[in-house]
């Protein structure tokens, strides 16, 4: 039980701290058992970044594990500081970041380049959060553009897995069956009807993609797509002392040219993260409408500020190919689904998100878990990308309420996924002006007064 208890219909208790709202487990929210067990499995996705850190930055395994531990600290910040989302990487942007890093030699050169990229992403989030332009962007961009951004991110995530040479080609049996199991348990209409009649089905759905992931791991090992794990006991010891030799303070900071070359990738990363914010808003709005006992405050400016803090932490102490994004779409959707079953299922949206990543951080130090999942790291990341793609497509089309908007968003999504955000924005801007706008010289989205009213409401909160 927690010290402070929320009254019906109010916001979850917190300690005010400037633009943030501090919430601690057992003080402001209760510990959620379902999220704890889910995190003991899902933390393996964090470890999935280790092979990329080794390949693109030239890190030894133990140093890469220390980088992942820094990432785990960042994952705990949103729930601590008043953001209701389950945070993650800017996952659909990883292929773009790796393409950028491919121009640099693994080692000091690549670390400097990634530092430049992540520092620029930090500055974008910080400027938009401090100036409150983040809220203005979310409020003023037309739904067709929002939908196009989300749909494009979803298509990009799926293409990376099903394209020739992707993980689907290398491990087809485990990935196909694991994906089908996750989709059935999380989104099937027939299974949802079972949860209303069978208590066991309700318990299964509480764990999101965990059953599907475990099934994929068992099948992958059984058919020889993955090796048997070599389980060891004890506590992991990330190489924090050695990590200093792989940070910008030691390898040196990049020159202005590297920063200039990183600008396009940083902009692309923010555009994708912007889509995640929209997805998060949609999930929180749906959850808030289904539960009247808790008022969920979704402050876009605070989301930007927390993302800025996390990217700054990474840039200086663990430059990260995944960057620091606002939302882990697959887990956030699972948590929102469980949240709707009432206060007994999940006391607060913050208790779910907070419990999940605190447990995930602790799991990084449990050697039996780390060594058990080490051979199957690719399957965890693949399932996350496939579910991210599915959810992005689902939420992206939810933004649209007419065929004109669907056509514009669909075109933008395909162009964005295939040719990148620059061409995607150009395509949708042209179609929006020519097709959807009611007047060629007059915007009809959101008035200045509406935006000012939204900002004033955020101030009061």
């Amino acid at each position: 039980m927690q010290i402070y208890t929320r009254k019906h219909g109010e916001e979850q208790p917190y300690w005010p701290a400037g633009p943030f709202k501090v919430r601690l487990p057992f003080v402001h929210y209760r510990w959620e058992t379902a999220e704890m067990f889910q995190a003991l499995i899902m933390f393996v996705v964090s470890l999935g970044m280790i092979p990329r850190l080794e390949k693109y930055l030239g890190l030894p395994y133990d140093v890469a594990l220390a980088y992942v531990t820094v990432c785990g600290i960042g994952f705990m910040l949103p729930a601590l500081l008043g953001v209701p989302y389950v945070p993650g990487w800017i996952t659909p942007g990883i292929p773009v970041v790796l393409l950028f890093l491919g121009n640099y030699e693994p080692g000091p050169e690549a670390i400097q380049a990634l530092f430049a990229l992540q520092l620029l992403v930090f500055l974008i989030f910080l400027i938009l959060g401090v100036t409150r332009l983040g809220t203005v962007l979310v409020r003023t961009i037309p739904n067709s553009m929002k939908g196009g951004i989300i749909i494009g991110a979803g298509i990009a995530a799926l293409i990376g897995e099903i394209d020739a040479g992707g993980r689907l080609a290398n491990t087809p049996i485990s990935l196909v069956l694991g994906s089908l199991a996750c989709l059935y348990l999380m989104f099937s209409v027939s299974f949802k009807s079972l949860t209303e009649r069978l208590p066991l089905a309700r318990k299964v759905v509480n764990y999101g993609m965990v059953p599907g992931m475990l099934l994929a791991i068992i099948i992958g090992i059984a058919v020889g797509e993955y090796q048997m794990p070599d389980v060891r006991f004890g506590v992991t010891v990330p190489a924090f002392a050695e990590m200093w030799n792989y940070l910008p303070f030691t390898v040196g900071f990049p020159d202005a040219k590297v920063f200039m070359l990183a600008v396009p990738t940083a902009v692309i990363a923010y555009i994708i993260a912007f889509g995640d914010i929209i997805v998060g808003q949609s999930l929180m709005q749906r959850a808030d409408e289904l539960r009247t006992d808790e008022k969920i405050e979704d402050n876009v400016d605070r989301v930007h500020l927390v993302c800025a803090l996390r990217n700054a932490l990474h840039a200086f102490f663990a430059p990260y190919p995944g960057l620091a994004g606002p939302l882990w779409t697959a887990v956030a959707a699972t948590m929102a689904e469980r949240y709707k079953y009432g206060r007994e299922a999940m006391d607060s949206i913050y208790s779910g998100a907070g419990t999940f990543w605190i447990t995930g951080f602790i799991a990084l130090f449990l050697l039996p878990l780390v060594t058990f999942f080490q051979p199957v790291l690719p399957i965890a990341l693949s399932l996350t990308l496939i579910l991210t793609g599915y959810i992005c497509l689902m939420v992206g089309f939810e933004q649209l309420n007419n065929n004109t908007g669907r056509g514009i968003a669909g075109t933008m999504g395909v162009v964005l996924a295939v040719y990148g955000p620059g061409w995607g924005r150009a395509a949708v801007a042209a179609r929006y002006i020519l097709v959807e706008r009611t007047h060629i010289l007059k915007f009809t989205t959101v008035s200045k007064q509406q935006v000012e009213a939204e900002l004033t409401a955020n101030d009061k909160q």
Side-chain angles (χ1 to χ4, degrees):
M1 291 294 293
Q2 67 271 29
I3 296 175
Y4 298 103
T5 304
R6 182 184 75 249
K7 295 181 180 179
H8 187 90
E10 294 186 353
E11 189 178 350
Q12 191 70 8
Y14 62 90
W15 290 331
F20 306 114
K21 295 183 175 181
V22 175
R23 293 182 174 93
L24 301 174
F26 305 111
V27 177
H28 300 100
Y29 60 81
R30 79 183 188 194
W31 193 257
E32 300 289 352
T33 305
E35 274 63 44
M36 180 184 70
F37 284 115
Q38 188 177 352
L40 289 174
I41 306 297
M42 293 301 297
F43 88 101
V44 67
V45 178
S46 300
L47 300 177
M49 189 57 67
I50 290 178
R52 287 162 175 77
L53 291 167
E54 293 174 320
K55 178 179 179 180
Y56 289 93
L57 298 188
L59 305 184
Y61 176 85
D62 290 339
V63 173
L65 184 59
Y67 268 46
V68 172
T69 306
V70 174
C71 181
I73 295 172
F75 281 151
M76 293 187 289
L77 290 180
L80 172 67
L81 299 178
V83 174
Y85 305 164
V86 181
W89 306 322
I90 305 180
T91 308
I94 292 176
V96 181
V97 175
L98 297 182
L99 188 64
F100 168 73
L101 290 178
N103 298 319
Y104 300 92
E105 189 71 22
E109 189 177 318
I111 292 172
Q112 289 179 357
L114 189 51
F115 167 81
L117 171 61
Q118 194 135 33
L119 191 66
L120 289 172
V121 174
F122 152 69
L123 290 173
I124 293 172
F125 275 112
L126 180 66
I127 292 169
L128 292 177
V130 170
T131 62
R132 309 169 75 182
L133 288 174
T135 295
V136 175
L137 279 175
V138 172
R139 295 283 296 169
T140 58
I141 289 182
N143 284 342
S144 56
M145 292 189 181
K146 292 179 183 177
I149 291 170
I150 300 172
I151 291 167
I155 295 173
L158 292 172
I159 288 177
E161 297 304 308
I162 67 177
D163 206 3
R167 272 184 286 266
L168 181 62
N170 297 326
T171 56
I173 300 174
S174 57
L175 189 53
V176 168
L177 294 180
S179 300
L180 291 176
C182 288
L183 291 171
Y184 176 74
L185 295 176
M186 293 174 65
F187 303 108
S188 169
V189 175
S190 62
F191 187 76
K192 188 174 293 186
S193 66
L194 287 178
T195 63
E196 297 172 357
R197 303 195 308 269
L198 301 176
L200 179 61
R202 173 77 64 85
K203 291 180 179 179
V204 170
V205 83
N206 282 345
Y207 296 97
M209 60 184 290
V210 168
M213 182 179 293
L214 291 176
L215 177 65
I217 291 172
I218 293 170
I219 292 173
I221 293 174
V223 301
E225 291 181 344
Y226 294 99
Q227 296 179 349
M228 281 288 293
D230 178 21
V231 179
R232 287 171 284 158
F233 294 90
V235 178
T236 59
V237 184
F240 291 114
E242 189 181 351
M243 183 176 72
W244 188 259
N245 297 323
Y246 297 87
L247 295 181
F249 306 104
T250 303
V251 303
F253 292 92
D255 57 27
K257 181 181 178 181
V258 177
F259 278 98
M260 291 298 295
L261 292 172
V263 168
T265 306
V267 173
I268 290 171
Y270 176 74
I271 291 172
I272 295 172
F274 178 80
D276 284 341
I277 292 173
I278 297 170
V279 173
Q281 277 199 315
S282 177
L283 292 174
M284 291 305 104
Q285 181 180 355
R286 186 186 306 168
D288 197 33
E289 290 172 353
L290 291 172
R291 288 268 300 267
T292 59
D293 62 283
E294 179 180 14
K295 178 185 176 183
I296 300 177
E297 185 211 8
D298 187 3
N299 188 306
V300 174
D301 299 319
R302 188 180 302 130
V303 173
H304 279 77
L305 291 175
V306 174
C307 283
L309 287 174
R310 292 172 56 216
N311 278 288
L313 176 69
H314 272 299
F316 289 99
F317 298 104
Y320 222 62
L323 305 176
L327 189 73
W328 185 353
T329 308
V331 175
T334 301
M335 203 164 294
E337 186 70 17
R338 198 172 85 83
Y339 177 80
K340 77 178 187 181
Y341 289 115
R343 196 163 183 172
E344 290 186 3
M346 185 187 300
D347 180 54
S348 167
I349 197 70
Y350 297 97
S351 64
T355 301
F356 182 89
W357 270 127
I358 292 172
T359 304
F361 179 75
I362 295 171
L364 293 173
F365 296 92
L366 303 179
L367 188 60
L369 286 177
V370 172
T371 53
F372 175 81
F373 288 114
Q374 190 171 352
V376 295
L377 294 182
I379 194 71
L381 184 56
S382 292
L383 288 174
T384 295
L385 286 166
I386 289 172
L387 288 175
T388 296
Y390 179 88
I391 295 167
C392 283
L393 292 175
M394 180 177 67
V395 175
F397 281 107
E398 276 186 357
Q399 303 291 318
L400 312 165
N401 52 20
N402 59 66
N403 287 332
T404 301
R406 295 184 190 104
I408 291 172
T411 302
M412 178 186 182
V414 172
V415 175
L416 189 151
V418 176
Y419 293 104
W423 285 105
R425 284 180 297 168
V428 77
R431 281 169 171 76
Y432 174 71
I433 292 172
L434 295 174
V435 178
E436 192 174 9
R437 287 273 297 279
T438 58
H439 193 289
I440 198 78
L441 297 176
K442 182 180 178 182
F443 285 98
T444 59
T445 53
V446 179
S447 68
K448 179 181 178 181
Q449 290 77 12
Q450 286 175 294
V451 174
E452 290 176 348
E454 175 73 13
L455 294 176
T456 301
N458 286 342
D459 278 341
K460 291 180 178 179
Q461 292 173 342

